[in-house]
Amino acid sequence: MTATELREAILRHLEFSQGKDLAHASLYDMRMALTLAIRDRIIEPWFHATRATYAAQSKRVYYLSMEFLIGRLLEDAILNVGLTEAAHEAVSGLGFDFRDVLNDEPDAALGNGGLGRLAACFLDSMSTLGCPAYGYGIRYEHGLFRQSFGPDGRQVEDAEDWLRQSHGWEFERPEASFRIGFGGSVAESGRSAVWTPENAVMAKAYDTPIVGWQGKWANTLRLWGAEPLRAFDLAAFNKGDFTGAAAPEALARTISRVLYPDDTTAQGKELRLKQEFFFTAASLRDILRRFTSEHSDLRALPSRVAIQMNDTHPAIAGPELIRLLADERGLPFEEAVDTARACLGYTNHTLMPEALERWSESLMAEVLPRHMQIIERIDEMHAKAHPTRKSSILENGEVKMGELSFIMAHRVNGVSALHTELVKSTVFSDLHALHPDRIVNETNGVTPRRWIKGANPRLSSLITETIGEGWEDHLERLTELEPAIETQEFRDRFAAVKAANKADLAEWIGTTMGISVNPDAMFDVQIKRFHEYKRQHLNILETIALWLEMRENPKAGWAPRVKIFGGKAAPGYVMAKEIIHLINNVARVVNADKATRELLTVVYPPNYNVTMAEKLIPAADLSEQISTAGKEASGTGNMKFSLNGALTIGTLDGANVEIRDLVGEENFFLFGMTADEVVERRRHPDHASSAIAESPRLTAAIEAIEAGMFSNGDKAMYRMITQNLRAHDYFTVCADFDSYWDAQRRVDTAWFDRDNWTRMAALNAARTGWFSSDRTIKGYMGDIWNISPMI
């Protein structure tokens, strides 16, 4: 498509879709017209993919995920269909700034952290590889929340409003609607049962095409919105009960309103369970509808359907699929169990027992009474088949969704080499002993189209000029950069790319936050969902200790740093929110200190999302991957940073292990205990207090907090954090502090040899092409889904 042709398509959509002429078009109108023009170009490969899949009677993948952190779609789609230059020329020729038009698109509020971003990368790779697939999730009206910071530095949560404007990418599918019930009663009927729900909502589908690289294939992201069975009670309205008249609509919309409602209350727990069943049940009915339109024998379902449960959120898929097969379609129960298991795969994302969802049996029986019966029967069947088993789905009055997922899946996968081995030896050790062939590893990856080609066009151009075209879908070709890295010319160009990206970020920070940062300083970045195991408090403690020593001796040859944090804490996670509070107040004090102003700046931009990550990652010099060893399943931020030429300071946790193996230990700043050493350390009840006593720097940092240095003299403000560190410290922040400090000083030393730093950074980019999500999806296709590409 030429720029002229695209220009005409934009003008046509301005007139007929937006109802505007060019002279009166707003930025929003231009963005929507461009979106619809590009969407038109995606329809052909989208339709082709559907027709080809039906014609070949191919197996399809159905990826069930509570989150899809897709970010902005316009630039990504333009890139994948090869229209970047044409779009730039067309939009500019119509009198609009191309970058302003792209930036007008809001981030889709459909996810929070790595789980959702992984799902988005997988959608891109499945389309790029021609793997017939649907992504299934919830069309959240408000997503997680929009984060801001109050005057006191505390996190403030406001409703996200991304759907206030029309979402130009989606197609509403009212014909694809399913009634989803809750509660009620169960009556036995012969060999099956009849569930009569007490109340119900409608799940309505909204489809977004996800196009792959070079526009050859497009799959579907189908999101479910909840609607009432009857939208409006006219009789109640006419009687003056306006609130009651709208109650059914309000109740239904609650289900698809917010991602991860606060489940510290009974009402929140019930809503969360209803959300998970809502999208899982609607997806399974849609899958069976599609299957039965082509096939009549339900026993053939596993040969045509692969369902991947992304974490335990869709774990109810096992019982629901059994119910649909046995109760509604007459398949014998045991055969329904085997059929469902042959279709289902389960990706585990956590080793923390508290993060493996559990629901009280009473809540499950109240909300999903038939499913509770099915879960009991699954547990009984498994116990009968394995009388020596120690693990059960039902335990202490709770339904353990991790065990349910494992038992109902034919494959269970970890997401990094270390994580997979720990899955076998810790959380699922008993089940692994019973089913030794069930667990496989599929190390996570990221899409290079979004995270290099789109997010870092300067680096992308340098790569293409050095090794030629075609690396975007063959990322292992980045190793071809290595000979060039040994030349001064390449290193100078690589350093210039990083410097330009840092200058852009410094300008953005100055414009949006009013903070002046030195682009020649080291940009030290930690951007993650806030959780104690990710140890943002270890980072800020070291920052405090560093600042205290800088004040004592500012001429000691410190490497100037800009410490950048980003991420949100769940509304009910009080400790994580207190860590955010502390970081912001440390920033306030440190940034106001004239003695250290040229050496240390702390920056925490609010409302971290994909768009912000696309600014931060290409500009980062140092990537903070400092989780407690044995707690991070994989991580994908660590991969994005390395691919963009940032050096990692990290523990032997998650995919850090594989990154270090690939880039070389000399190009990675390792610190901290191993997973086994962490377990051993916790056996000592005084491990935290002894670590503090042995570390003058850590002692000084904690005492500075306790003295009110960052709380306007309020000595009790951060007592929750300091008391936890002194008395409990489950995530071994104190025990790892000195090792972390020493590693940071090695970082300082390395920074002063800037040419060698550039060489190390370039080698990180060259040696991490293995972390493409294309490679990961090929692994899923061969090891779990048993499916071949269609292109």
Side-chain angles (χ1 to χ4, degrees):
M1 193 178 199
T2 66
T4 300
E5 291 169 333
L6 182 55
R7 180 181 184 276
E8 293 305 312
I10 293 170
L11 288 172
R12 187 166 59 252
H13 276 295
L14 267 180
E15 182 176 355
F16 295 107
S17 300
Q18 295 304 107
K20 291 285 188 72
D21 61 17
L22 183 60
H24 298 91
S26 67
L27 185 63
Y28 165 77
D29 293 323
M30 178 54 63
R31 192 251 299 171
M32 286 297 296
L34 176 60
T35 295
L36 295 172
I38 297 298
R39 192 181 73 171
D40 288 349
R41 300 292 298 175
I42 296 172
I43 298 300
E44 183 179 346
W46 194 29
F47 283 5
H48 162 72
T50 300
R51 292 171 182 144
T53 304
Y54 273 108
Q57 294 195 347
S58 175
K59 192 174 190 177
R60 291 180 178 89
V61 172
Y62 298 101
Y63 197 84
L64 273 58
S65 181
M66 198 78 168
E67 299 183 43
F68 287 94
L69 195 57
I70 55 176
R72 293 171 172 170
L73 291 177
L74 180 54
E75 185 174 13
D76 203 43
I78 291 171
L79 181 71
N80 275 356
V81 297
L83 289 176
T84 300
E85 292 182 7
H88 190 284
E89 183 179 337
V91 170
S92 300
L94 292 171
F96 285 80
D97 183 275
F98 182 55
R99 182 51 53 184
D100 287 346
V101 171
L102 297 179
N103 290 341
D104 184 63
E105 182 180 20
D107 273 43
L110 299 172
N112 175 29
L115 182 84
R117 187 52 234 172
L118 181 75
C121 284
F122 280 4
L123 290 179
D124 176 276
S125 284
M126 284 188 277
S127 292
T128 294
L129 294 170
C131 173
Y134 273 74
Y136 280 115
I138 296 178
R139 183 181 182 264
Y140 299 106
E141 189 174 342
H142 297 297
L144 190 67
F145 57 83
R146 181 179 293 277
Q147 181 195 54
S148 60
F149 300 126
D152 61 353
R154 295 182 187 275
Q155 174 177 287
V156 177
E157 298 120 21
D158 294 306
E160 179 63 75
D161 60 354
W162 74 289
L163 282 176
R164 182 169 292 179
Q165 299 176 348
S166 174
H167 181 41
W169 292 103
E170 69 183 8
F171 293 88
E172 188 173 347
R173 304 295 196 198
E175 74 280 7
S177 297
F178 299 95
R179 180 181 177 129
I180 308 299
F182 306 101
S185 60
V186 181
E188 298 297 327
S189 176
R191 292 191 305 170
S192 62
V194 176
W195 173 35
T196 305
E198 182 180 8
N199 47 64
V201 299
M202 292 299 295
K204 186 168 77 173
Y206 296 81
D207 288 354
T208 296
I210 304 295
V211 69
W213 177 240
Q214 296 181 332
K216 297 176 183 177
W217 188 274
N219 286 317
T220 303
L221 172 60
R222 174 160 285 187
L223 301 176
W224 300 104
E227 297 189 352
L229 301 182
R230 185 175 64 166
F232 187 65
D233 188 339
L234 182 61
F237 186 88
N238 286 335
K239 291 177 181 179
D241 184 7
F242 307 135
T243 302
E249 181 181 8
L251 180 63
R253 285 180 60 193
T254 298
I255 290 177
S256 56
R257 190 182 294 272
V258 175
L259 169 65
Y260 300 145
D262 186 350
D263 60 1
T264 58
T265 65
Q267 296 91 334
K269 287 182 173 65
E270 180 178 336
L271 176 57
R272 176 82 168 265
L273 179 57
K274 284 182 175 179
Q275 282 185 323
E276 294 181 357
F277 178 69
F278 166 78
F279 96 88
T280 301
S283 303
L284 290 175
R285 294 181 195 200
D286 198 40
I287 291 167
L288 286 178
R289 176 197 58 78
R290 192 172 296 109
F291 172 81
T292 54
S293 72
E294 299 179 272
H295 309 281
S296 57
D297 185 2
L298 290 171
R299 295 167 182 82
L301 193 68
S303 68
R304 294 291 180 265
V305 169
I307 303 169
Q308 193 68 28
M309 300 180 288
N310 192 28
D311 214 352
T312 57
H313 307 130
I316 201 68
E320 172 65 358
L321 185 52
I322 292 169
R323 189 190 71 80
L324 292 172
L325 295 173
D327 292 357
E328 296 193 2
R329 289 166 174 78
L331 209 63
F333 189 88
E334 290 76 8
E335 197 167 348
V337 172
D338 292 340
T339 302
R341 181 179 293 117
C343 294
L344 292 168
Y346 161 50
T347 301
N348 174 273
H349 284 283
T350 183
L351 297 166
M352 295 188 292
E354 66 271 20
L356 291 168
E357 291 181 305
R358 299 180 180 216
W359 302 107
S360 70
E361 292 185 32
S362 60
L363 177 62
M364 183 69 73
E366 178 185 350
V367 176
L368 302 170
R370 177 54 180 156
H371 300 78
M372 187 65 222
Q373 293 177 347
I374 293 172
I375 291 168
E376 290 171 342
R377 196 163 171 186
I378 294 169
D379 208 22
E380 291 170 1
M381 288 174 61
H382 190 257
K384 185 176 180 180
H386 304 281
T388 62
R389 67 97 175 88
K390 299 174 185 176
S391 296
S392 60
I393 300 170
L394 303 175
E395 187 176 276
N396 299 323
E398 292 182 318
V399 182
K400 299 157 64 180
M401 304 307 275
E403 278 74 6
L404 176 62
S405 299
F406 191 109
I407 289 169
M408 280 309 304
H410 74 283
R411 285 288 183 272
V412 176
N413 73 280
V415 289
S416 72
L418 173 64
H419 171 245
T420 299
E421 291 308 308
L422 289 172
V423 167
K424 294 177 181 178
S425 63
T426 58
V427 289
F428 293 131
S429 58
D430 176 50
L431 290 172
H432 173 58
L434 299 177
H435 309 280
D437 298 328
R438 191 165 295 186
I439 298 177
V440 297
N441 178 60
E442 305 297 344
T443 297
N444 285 344
V446 302
T447 167
R449 275 78 62 180
R450 166 82 73 161
W451 293 107
I452 304 177
K453 188 79 172 178
N456 199 344
R458 294 184 179 101
L459 179 59
S460 173
S461 296
L462 178 58
I463 293 170
T464 300
E465 290 172 23
T466 305
I467 65 173
E469 298 181 348
W471 56 269
E472 296 90 344
D473 56 346
H474 293 87
L475 200 59
E476 66 278 1
R477 284 194 55 209
L478 291 184
T479 57
E480 297 172 23
L481 292 170
E482 290 208 39
I485 292 171
E486 299 308 316
T487 68
Q488 190 65 51
E489 179 190 5
F490 181 90
R491 293 198 299 275
D492 288 346
R493 295 182 68 190
F494 191 93
V497 165
K498 182 68 72 173
N501 291 339
K502 291 174 68 176
D504 287 348
L505 180 58
E507 181 181 1
W508 178 78
I509 290 171
T511 301
T512 59
M513 300 187 69
I515 298 174
S516 176
V517 300
N518 177 11
D520 293 327
M522 183 197 309
F523 281 16
D524 176 348
V525 184
Q526 186 177 18
I527 43 175
K528 292 179 177 294
R529 175 174 59 90
F530 263 68
H531 195 289
E532 288 171 272
Y533 87 81
K534 296 180 184 289
R535 300 202 295 190
Q536 286 94 345
H537 48 333
L538 173 60
N539 190 343
I540 199 63
L541 280 169
E542 194 273 339
T543 303
I544 294 169
L546 179 61
W547 174 64
L548 292 174
E549 295 216 7
M550 284 178 170
R551 293 180 78 199
E552 288 293 317
N553 191 0
K555 303 296 185 182
W558 306 101
R561 291 194 190 223
V562 178
K563 302 279 288 188
I564 303 173
F565 293 84
K568 300 176 181 179
Y573 195 167
V574 178
M575 177 63 82
K577 292 172 76 169
E578 275 302 284
I579 294 170
I580 289 175
H581 184 206
L582 174 61
I583 291 169
N584 277 320
N585 278 327
V586 169
R588 174 180 55 81
V589 173
V590 169
N591 295 349
D593 189 346
K594 295 179 181 179
T596 59
R597 184 175 296 167
E598 301 302 317
L599 296 174
L600 183 62
T601 308
V602 182
V603 179
Y604 192 165
N607 205 43
Y608 174 69
N609 55 20
V610 175
T611 298
M612 189 187 297
E614 291 170 338
K615 293 180 174 69
L616 296 177
I617 290 171
D621 294 303
L622 187 68
S623 164
E624 297 273 353
Q625 307 297 331
I626 60 177
S627 53
T628 307
K631 292 300 180 184
E632 184 73 82
S634 170
T636 55
N638 48 5
M639 303 169 189
K640 296 164 195 164
F641 278 113
S642 289
L643 283 165
N644 280 275
L647 302 183
T648 302
I649 181 168
T651 54
L652 286 177
D653 196 29
N656 287 357
V657 178
E658 288 150 293
I659 289 176
R660 183 170 179 262
D661 288 343
L662 285 167
V663 305
E665 61 183 44
E666 69 279 8
N667 299 311
F668 187 106
F669 298 103
L670 178 66
F671 78 94
M673 295 177 287
T674 64
D676 289 340
E677 289 169 342
V678 168
V679 173
E680 178 58 34
R681 179 80 183 189
R682 286 203 196 101
R683 292 196 175 105
H684 301 280
D686 64 341
H687 69 88
S689 59
S690 62
I692 295 170
E694 292 166 6
S695 174
R697 292 187 180 94
L698 177 58
T699 299
I702 293 175
E703 288 180 349
I705 297 170
E706 293 172 331
M709 188 173 287
F710 309 105
S711 50
N712 295 318
D714 185 344
K715 298 181 180 181
M717 182 175 287
Y718 297 111
R719 185 172 294 163
M720 177 184 293
I721 296 174
T722 57
Q723 286 188 345
N724 178 276
L725 290 171
R726 289 187 179 280
H728 182 55
D729 193 24
Y730 177 77
F731 296 104
T732 61
V733 168
C734 298
D736 269 349
F737 179 86
D738 279 352
S739 178
Y740 181 53
W741 172 274
D742 291 342
Q744 290 284 20
R745 304 295 72 78
R746 295 198 303 274
V747 171
D748 285 343
T749 301
W751 178 254
F752 285 116
D753 187 348
R754 298 301 292 277
D755 186 57
N756 190 55
W757 180 283
T758 298
R759 181 180 179 277
M760 296 165 66
L763 286 172
N764 266 259
R767 293 176 177 177
T768 47
W770 187 77
F771 290 108
S772 169
S773 51
D774 297 348
R775 183 266 313 154
T776 310
I777 289 300
K778 288 176 184 176
Y780 275 88
M781 292 172 70
D783 300 337
I784 300 174
W785 301 333
N786 189 28
I787 189 171
S788 300
M790 295 284 289
I791 57 175

